[in-house]
Amino acid sequence: MGNEMMMVASAHRHPDKARELCITAQEKGFGLVIAAGGMAAALPGVVSAYTSLPVL
């Protein structure tokens, strides 16, 4: 296994933290961002606005 890392942030409860995670994800070594939430179809699009990494 490699150096897997997972971070979880609520875009509703901590929007500044979620934004900061997206902005700094690439420099922290992330290869992609997984954006999931119940009934939140817009979340991947918002995350994509803050990173150039692939968003699933």
Side-chain angles (χ1 to χ4, degrees):
M1 293 258 160
N3 289 332
E4 293 85 7
M5 184 189 316
M6 179 179 69
M7 300 179 113
V8 177
S10 168
H12 294 283
R13 294 185 182 139
H14 305 286
D16 293 333
K17 179 182 177 186
R19 179 182 170 274
E20 184 67 22
L21 286 171
C22 293
I23 290 171
T24 62
Q26 193 165 14
E27 67 188 50
K28 290 180 180 177
F30 286 82
L32 63 91
V33 177
I34 299 174
M39 306 293 286
L43 183 60
V46 172
V47 170
S48 293
Y50 292 116
T51 184
S52 60
L53 292 172
V55 178
L56 303 177

Short mmCIF file of all heavy atoms in Angstrom, two decimals:
data_model
loop_
_atom_site.label_atom_id
_atom_site.label_comp_id
_atom_site.label_asym_id
_atom_site.label_seq_id
_atom_site.Cartn_x
_atom_site.Cartn_y
_atom_site.Cartn_z
N MET A 1 0.82 -1.18 0.00
CA MET A 1 0.00 0.00 0.00
C MET A 1 0.87 1.25 0.00
O MET A 1 1.94 1.28 0.56
CB MET A 1 -0.90 0.02 1.22
CG MET A 1 -1.96 -1.02 1.26
SD MET A 1 -3.50 -0.25 0.78
CE MET A 1 -4.40 -1.67 0.32
N GLY A 2 0.33 2.32 -0.56
CA GLY A 2 1.04 3.60 -0.61
C GLY A 2 0.72 4.45 0.59
O GLY A 2 0.34 3.97 1.65
N ASN A 3 0.84 5.73 0.42
CA ASN A 3 0.55 6.69 1.49
C ASN A 3 -0.86 7.23 1.35
O ASN A 3 -1.05 8.39 1.07
CB ASN A 3 1.56 7.85 1.46
CG ASN A 3 2.93 7.43 1.90
OD1 ASN A 3 3.06 6.50 2.68
ND2 ASN A 3 3.94 8.09 1.40
N GLU A 4 -1.85 6.39 1.54
CA GLU A 4 -3.22 6.83 1.42
C GLU A 4 -3.58 7.77 2.56
O GLU A 4 -3.15 7.59 3.69
CB GLU A 4 -4.20 5.65 1.42
CG GLU A 4 -4.09 4.75 0.23
CD GLU A 4 -3.02 3.69 0.37
OE1 GLU A 4 -2.43 3.57 1.44
OE2 GLU A 4 -2.77 3.00 -0.61
N MET A 5 -4.36 8.78 2.24
CA MET A 5 -4.82 9.72 3.25
C MET A 5 -6.27 10.06 2.94
O MET A 5 -6.65 10.17 1.79
CB MET A 5 -4.00 11.00 3.24
CG MET A 5 -4.39 11.95 4.34
SD MET A 5 -3.66 13.61 4.28
CE MET A 5 -1.99 13.34 3.89
N MET A 6 -7.04 10.21 3.99
CA MET A 6 -8.43 10.60 3.81
C MET A 6 -8.73 11.72 4.79
O MET A 6 -8.32 11.68 5.95
CB MET A 6 -9.35 9.41 4.10
CG MET A 6 -10.81 9.76 3.94
SD MET A 6 -11.94 8.40 4.22
CE MET A 6 -11.77 8.12 5.96
N MET A 7 -9.43 12.73 4.30
CA MET A 7 -9.89 13.82 5.15
C MET A 7 -11.37 14.02 4.84
O MET A 7 -11.78 13.90 3.69
CB MET A 7 -9.12 15.10 4.87
CG MET A 7 -7.64 14.96 5.11
SD MET A 7 -6.79 16.47 4.75
CE MET A 7 -6.27 16.90 6.38
N VAL A 8 -12.14 14.34 5.85
CA VAL A 8 -13.57 14.55 5.68
C VAL A 8 -13.91 15.95 6.18
O VAL A 8 -13.47 16.36 7.25
CB VAL A 8 -14.38 13.49 6.46
CG1 VAL A 8 -15.87 13.76 6.34
CG2 VAL A 8 -14.03 12.10 6.00
N ALA A 9 -14.67 16.68 5.38
CA ALA A 9 -15.10 18.02 5.79
C ALA A 9 -16.51 18.26 5.28
O ALA A 9 -16.83 17.94 4.14
CB ALA A 9 -14.16 19.08 5.23
N SER A 10 -17.33 18.81 6.12
CA SER A 10 -18.70 19.13 5.74
C SER A 10 -18.74 20.51 5.10
O SER A 10 -18.33 21.50 5.71
CB SER A 10 -19.60 19.12 6.98
OG SER A 10 -20.85 19.68 6.67
N ALA A 11 -19.24 20.57 3.90
CA ALA A 11 -19.36 21.86 3.21
C ALA A 11 -20.44 22.73 3.84
O ALA A 11 -20.44 23.94 3.67
CB ALA A 11 -19.68 21.64 1.73
N HIS A 12 -21.34 22.13 4.60
CA HIS A 12 -22.40 22.90 5.26
C HIS A 12 -21.98 23.36 6.65
O HIS A 12 -22.26 24.49 7.03
CB HIS A 12 -23.68 22.06 5.37
CG HIS A 12 -24.28 21.75 4.04
ND1 HIS A 12 -24.99 22.67 3.31
CD2 HIS A 12 -24.25 20.62 3.30
CE1 HIS A 12 -25.37 22.11 2.17
NE2 HIS A 12 -24.94 20.88 2.14
N ARG A 13 -21.31 22.49 7.38
CA ARG A 13 -20.93 22.83 8.75
C ARG A 13 -19.62 23.61 8.83
O ARG A 13 -19.45 24.43 9.72
CB ARG A 13 -20.83 21.57 9.59
CG ARG A 13 -22.17 20.91 9.77
CD ARG A 13 -22.09 19.73 10.70
NE ARG A 13 -23.40 19.12 10.80
CZ ARG A 13 -23.60 17.82 10.81
NH1 ARG A 13 -22.59 16.98 10.75
NH2 ARG A 13 -24.82 17.35 10.89
N HIS A 14 -18.69 23.30 7.92
CA HIS A 14 -17.37 23.95 7.93
C HIS A 14 -16.96 24.31 6.51
O HIS A 14 -16.00 23.77 5.97
CB HIS A 14 -16.33 23.01 8.56
CG HIS A 14 -16.69 22.54 9.93
ND1 HIS A 14 -16.62 23.35 11.03
CD2 HIS A 14 -17.16 21.35 10.37
CE1 HIS A 14 -17.00 22.68 12.10
NE2 HIS A 14 -17.35 21.47 11.73
N PRO A 15 -17.66 25.24 5.87
CA PRO A 15 -17.36 25.55 4.47
C PRO A 15 -15.94 26.10 4.25
O PRO A 15 -15.32 25.80 3.23
CB PRO A 15 -18.41 26.60 4.10
CG PRO A 15 -18.89 27.15 5.40
CD PRO A 15 -18.74 26.05 6.40
N ASP A 16 -15.41 26.85 5.20
CA ASP A 16 -14.06 27.37 5.04
C ASP A 16 -13.02 26.24 5.07
O ASP A 16 -12.05 26.25 4.31
CB ASP A 16 -13.73 28.40 6.11
CG ASP A 16 -14.56 29.67 5.96
OD1 ASP A 16 -14.97 29.98 4.82
OD2 ASP A 16 -14.79 30.35 6.97
N LYS A 17 -13.24 25.26 5.93
CA LYS A 17 -12.34 24.11 6.01
C LYS A 17 -12.41 23.29 4.71
O LYS A 17 -11.38 22.88 4.17
CB LYS A 17 -12.68 23.22 7.20
CG LYS A 17 -11.80 21.99 7.30
CD LYS A 17 -12.21 21.10 8.46
CE LYS A 17 -11.36 19.84 8.48
NZ LYS A 17 -11.81 18.89 9.50
N ALA A 18 -13.61 23.07 4.21
CA ALA A 18 -13.77 22.31 2.96
C ALA A 18 -13.08 23.03 1.81
O ALA A 18 -12.39 22.41 0.99
CB ALA A 18 -15.25 22.09 2.67
N ARG A 19 -13.25 24.34 1.73
CA ARG A 19 -12.61 25.14 0.68
C ARG A 19 -11.09 25.05 0.79
O ARG A 19 -10.40 24.84 -0.19
CB ARG A 19 -13.06 26.60 0.79
CG ARG A 19 -12.44 27.51 -0.23
CD ARG A 19 -12.93 28.96 0.01
NE ARG A 19 -12.18 29.89 -0.80
CZ ARG A 19 -11.01 30.43 -0.45
NH1 ARG A 19 -10.48 30.15 0.72
NH2 ARG A 19 -10.38 31.25 -1.24
N GLU A 20 -10.56 25.20 1.99
CA GLU A 20 -9.11 25.13 2.20
C GLU A 20 -8.56 23.75 1.83
O GLU A 20 -7.49 23.65 1.23
CB GLU A 20 -8.78 25.45 3.66
CG GLU A 20 -7.30 25.49 3.97
CD GLU A 20 -6.57 26.64 3.30
OE1 GLU A 20 -7.21 27.64 2.91
OE2 GLU A 20 -5.35 26.53 3.15
N LEU A 21 -9.28 22.70 2.16
CA LEU A 21 -8.84 21.35 1.79
C LEU A 21 -8.76 21.20 0.27
O LEU A 21 -7.82 20.61 -0.25
CB LEU A 21 -9.79 20.29 2.36
CG LEU A 21 -9.66 20.04 3.85
CD1 LEU A 21 -10.80 19.13 4.32
CD2 LEU A 21 -8.32 19.42 4.18
N CYS A 22 -9.73 21.75 -0.43
CA CYS A 22 -9.74 21.67 -1.89
C CYS A 22 -8.60 22.47 -2.51
O CYS A 22 -7.93 22.01 -3.43
CB CYS A 22 -11.07 22.17 -2.45
SG CYS A 22 -12.46 21.12 -2.04
N ILE A 23 -8.38 23.66 -1.98
CA ILE A 23 -7.35 24.54 -2.53
C ILE A 23 -5.95 23.95 -2.32
O ILE A 23 -5.08 24.08 -3.19
CB ILE A 23 -7.45 25.95 -1.90
CG1 ILE A 23 -8.71 26.65 -2.41
CG2 ILE A 23 -6.22 26.79 -2.19
CD1 ILE A 23 -9.02 27.94 -1.70
N THR A 24 -5.73 23.27 -1.20
CA THR A 24 -4.40 22.76 -0.87
C THR A 24 -4.21 21.27 -1.13
O THR A 24 -3.15 20.73 -0.87
CB THR A 24 -4.07 23.05 0.61
OG1 THR A 24 -5.02 22.38 1.44
CG2 THR A 24 -4.08 24.54 0.90
N ALA A 25 -5.22 20.61 -1.67
CA ALA A 25 -5.16 19.16 -1.85
C ALA A 25 -3.98 18.71 -2.72
O ALA A 25 -3.27 17.76 -2.38
CB ALA A 25 -6.47 18.65 -2.45
N GLN A 26 -3.75 19.37 -3.83
CA GLN A 26 -2.70 18.95 -4.75
C GLN A 26 -1.32 19.10 -4.10
O GLN A 26 -0.50 18.20 -4.18
CB GLN A 26 -2.77 19.73 -6.05
CG GLN A 26 -1.92 19.13 -7.14
CD GLN A 26 -2.27 19.69 -8.51
OE1 GLN A 26 -2.96 20.70 -8.63
NE2 GLN A 26 -1.80 19.05 -9.54
N GLU A 27 -1.07 20.20 -3.44
CA GLU A 27 0.24 20.40 -2.81
C GLU A 27 0.46 19.46 -1.63
O GLU A 27 1.59 19.20 -1.24
CB GLU A 27 0.44 21.85 -2.38
CG GLU A 27 -0.46 22.32 -1.27
CD GLU A 27 -0.37 23.81 -1.02
OE1 GLU A 27 -0.47 24.59 -1.98
OE2 GLU A 27 -0.22 24.20 0.15
N LYS A 28 -0.63 18.92 -1.08
CA LYS A 28 -0.52 17.94 0.00
C LYS A 28 -0.35 16.53 -0.53
O LYS A 28 -0.27 15.58 0.24
CB LYS A 28 -1.74 18.02 0.91
CG LYS A 28 -1.78 19.28 1.74
CD LYS A 28 -3.01 19.31 2.62
CE LYS A 28 -3.03 20.59 3.45
NZ LYS A 28 -4.23 20.68 4.27
N GLY A 29 -0.36 16.37 -1.86
CA GLY A 29 -0.11 15.06 -2.45
C GLY A 29 -1.34 14.26 -2.83
O GLY A 29 -1.23 13.11 -3.23
N PHE A 30 -2.51 14.86 -2.74
CA PHE A 30 -3.72 14.16 -3.16
C PHE A 30 -3.74 14.01 -4.67
O PHE A 30 -3.28 14.90 -5.39
CB PHE A 30 -4.98 14.92 -2.72
CG PHE A 30 -5.28 14.84 -1.26
CD1 PHE A 30 -4.64 15.67 -0.36
CD2 PHE A 30 -6.20 13.91 -0.78
CE1 PHE A 30 -4.91 15.60 1.01
CE2 PHE A 30 -6.47 13.84 0.58
CZ PHE A 30 -5.82 14.68 1.47
N GLY A 31 -4.28 12.91 -5.16
CA GLY A 31 -4.37 12.68 -6.59
C GLY A 31 -5.76 12.93 -7.14
O GLY A 31 -5.94 13.07 -8.35
N LEU A 32 -6.75 12.96 -6.27
CA LEU A 32 -8.13 13.23 -6.66
C LEU A 32 -8.93 13.59 -5.43
O LEU A 32 -8.48 13.42 -4.32
CB LEU A 32 -8.77 12.04 -7.38
CG LEU A 32 -8.92 10.73 -6.60
CD1 LEU A 32 -10.26 10.67 -5.91
CD2 LEU A 32 -8.80 9.56 -7.55
N VAL A 33 -10.13 14.11 -5.67
CA VAL A 33 -11.03 14.47 -4.58
C VAL A 33 -12.34 13.73 -4.82
O VAL A 33 -12.87 13.75 -5.93
CB VAL A 33 -11.29 16.00 -4.54
CG1 VAL A 33 -12.30 16.35 -3.46
CG2 VAL A 33 -9.99 16.76 -4.33
N ILE A 34 -12.84 13.09 -3.79
CA ILE A 34 -14.14 12.43 -3.87
C ILE A 34 -15.14 13.32 -3.13
O ILE A 34 -14.98 13.59 -1.95
CB ILE A 34 -14.11 11.02 -3.25
CG1 ILE A 34 -13.11 10.15 -4.01
CG2 ILE A 34 -15.52 10.41 -3.26
CD1 ILE A 34 -12.89 8.79 -3.39
N ALA A 35 -16.14 13.81 -3.85
CA ALA A 35 -17.15 14.70 -3.27
C ALA A 35 -18.48 13.96 -3.28
O ALA A 35 -19.05 13.70 -4.33
CB ALA A 35 -17.24 15.99 -4.09
N ALA A 36 -18.96 13.62 -2.10
CA ALA A 36 -20.20 12.87 -2.00
C ALA A 36 -21.07 13.45 -0.89
O ALA A 36 -20.56 13.99 0.09
CB ALA A 36 -19.91 11.41 -1.71
N GLY A 37 -22.33 13.33 -1.06
CA GLY A 37 -23.26 13.79 -0.03
C GLY A 37 -24.67 13.43 -0.41
O GLY A 37 -24.98 13.30 -1.59
N GLY A 38 -25.50 13.27 0.57
CA GLY A 38 -26.88 12.95 0.30
C GLY A 38 -27.61 14.13 -0.31
O GLY A 38 -27.61 15.23 0.24
N MET A 39 -28.15 13.93 -1.47
CA MET A 39 -28.95 14.93 -2.17
C MET A 39 -28.17 16.21 -2.51
O MET A 39 -28.75 17.25 -2.71
CB MET A 39 -30.18 15.29 -1.34
CG MET A 39 -31.03 14.09 -0.92
SD MET A 39 -31.84 13.27 -2.31
CE MET A 39 -33.12 14.45 -2.66
N ALA A 40 -26.84 16.14 -2.56
CA ALA A 40 -26.04 17.33 -2.83
C ALA A 40 -25.37 17.22 -4.20
O ALA A 40 -24.18 17.12 -4.32
CB ALA A 40 -24.99 17.51 -1.74
N ALA A 41 -26.16 17.26 -5.24
CA ALA A 41 -25.63 17.09 -6.59
C ALA A 41 -24.68 18.20 -7.00
O ALA A 41 -23.85 18.02 -7.86
CB ALA A 41 -26.79 17.00 -7.58
N ALA A 42 -24.78 19.36 -6.37
CA ALA A 42 -23.92 20.49 -6.74
C ALA A 42 -22.54 20.42 -6.09
O ALA A 42 -21.63 21.12 -6.53
CB ALA A 42 -24.59 21.80 -6.35
N LEU A 43 -22.36 19.59 -5.09
CA LEU A 43 -21.09 19.55 -4.36
C LEU A 43 -19.88 19.27 -5.25
O LEU A 43 -18.89 20.00 -5.15
CB LEU A 43 -21.16 18.54 -3.21
CG LEU A 43 -19.92 18.48 -2.33
CD1 LEU A 43 -19.62 19.82 -1.69
CD2 LEU A 43 -20.09 17.40 -1.28
N PRO A 44 -19.89 18.27 -6.14
CA PRO A 44 -18.72 18.05 -6.99
C PRO A 44 -18.38 19.26 -7.86
O PRO A 44 -17.20 19.56 -8.07
CB PRO A 44 -19.11 16.85 -7.85
CG PRO A 44 -20.12 16.12 -7.04
CD PRO A 44 -20.89 17.21 -6.32
N GLY A 45 -19.36 19.99 -8.32
CA GLY A 45 -19.10 21.18 -9.12
C GLY A 45 -18.46 22.28 -8.31
O GLY A 45 -17.54 22.96 -8.77
N VAL A 46 -18.90 22.45 -7.08
CA VAL A 46 -18.31 23.46 -6.20
C VAL A 46 -16.87 23.08 -5.87
O VAL A 46 -15.97 23.90 -5.91
CB VAL A 46 -19.14 23.62 -4.90
CG1 VAL A 46 -18.43 24.51 -3.90
CG2 VAL A 46 -20.52 24.17 -5.24
N VAL A 47 -16.64 21.81 -5.55
CA VAL A 47 -15.28 21.34 -5.27
C VAL A 47 -14.38 21.55 -6.47
O VAL A 47 -13.24 21.99 -6.34
CB VAL A 47 -15.31 19.85 -4.84
CG1 VAL A 47 -13.90 19.27 -4.78
CG2 VAL A 47 -16.00 19.70 -3.48
N SER A 48 -14.89 21.29 -7.67
CA SER A 48 -14.12 21.47 -8.90
C SER A 48 -13.69 22.93 -9.09
O SER A 48 -12.67 23.19 -9.72
CB SER A 48 -14.93 21.02 -10.11
OG SER A 48 -15.13 19.64 -10.07
N ALA A 49 -14.45 23.85 -8.55
CA ALA A 49 -14.10 25.26 -8.68
C ALA A 49 -12.86 25.61 -7.87
O ALA A 49 -12.19 26.61 -8.17
CB ALA A 49 -15.26 26.13 -8.22
N TYR A 50 -12.51 24.80 -6.89
CA TYR A 50 -11.40 25.09 -6.01
C TYR A 50 -10.16 24.23 -6.24
O TYR A 50 -9.15 24.41 -5.54
CB TYR A 50 -11.83 24.94 -4.54
CG TYR A 50 -12.80 25.99 -4.11
CD1 TYR A 50 -14.09 25.65 -3.72
CD2 TYR A 50 -12.46 27.34 -4.09
CE1 TYR A 50 -15.00 26.61 -3.32
CE2 TYR A 50 -13.35 28.30 -3.71
CZ TYR A 50 -14.62 27.94 -3.31
OH TYR A 50 -15.52 28.90 -2.93
N THR A 51 -10.21 23.27 -7.18
CA THR A 51 -9.05 22.41 -7.42
C THR A 51 -9.00 22.01 -8.89
O THR A 51 -10.03 21.96 -9.56
CB THR A 51 -9.06 21.14 -6.53
OG1 THR A 51 -7.87 20.40 -6.74
CG2 THR A 51 -10.27 20.26 -6.81
N SER A 52 -7.81 21.74 -9.37
CA SER A 52 -7.66 21.25 -10.74
C SER A 52 -7.54 19.73 -10.75
O SER A 52 -7.41 19.12 -11.81
CB SER A 52 -6.44 21.88 -11.41
OG SER A 52 -5.26 21.56 -10.69
N LEU A 53 -7.59 19.11 -9.57
CA LEU A 53 -7.56 17.65 -9.49
C LEU A 53 -8.87 17.06 -10.01
O LEU A 53 -9.91 17.72 -9.99
CB LEU A 53 -7.37 17.22 -8.02
CG LEU A 53 -6.03 17.54 -7.38
CD1 LEU A 53 -6.09 17.22 -5.89
CD2 LEU A 53 -4.92 16.75 -8.04
N PRO A 54 -8.83 15.79 -10.44
CA PRO A 54 -10.09 15.13 -10.81
C PRO A 54 -11.00 15.05 -9.59
O PRO A 54 -10.55 14.82 -8.47
CB PRO A 54 -9.65 13.72 -11.24
CG PRO A 54 -8.19 13.81 -11.51
CD PRO A 54 -7.67 14.93 -10.64
N VAL A 55 -12.29 15.24 -9.82
CA VAL A 55 -13.29 15.17 -8.75
C VAL A 55 -14.29 14.08 -9.10
O VAL A 55 -14.87 14.09 -10.18
CB VAL A 55 -14.02 16.53 -8.57
CG1 VAL A 55 -15.09 16.41 -7.49
CG2 VAL A 55 -13.01 17.61 -8.19
N LEU A 56 -14.46 13.14 -8.19
CA LEU A 56 -15.43 12.06 -8.37
C LEU A 56 -16.61 12.31 -7.48
O LEU A 56 -16.49 12.80 -6.38
CB LEU A 56 -14.82 10.70 -8.02
CG LEU A 56 -13.57 10.29 -8.77
CD1 LEU A 56 -13.07 8.96 -8.24
CD2 LEU A 56 -13.86 10.19 -10.24
#
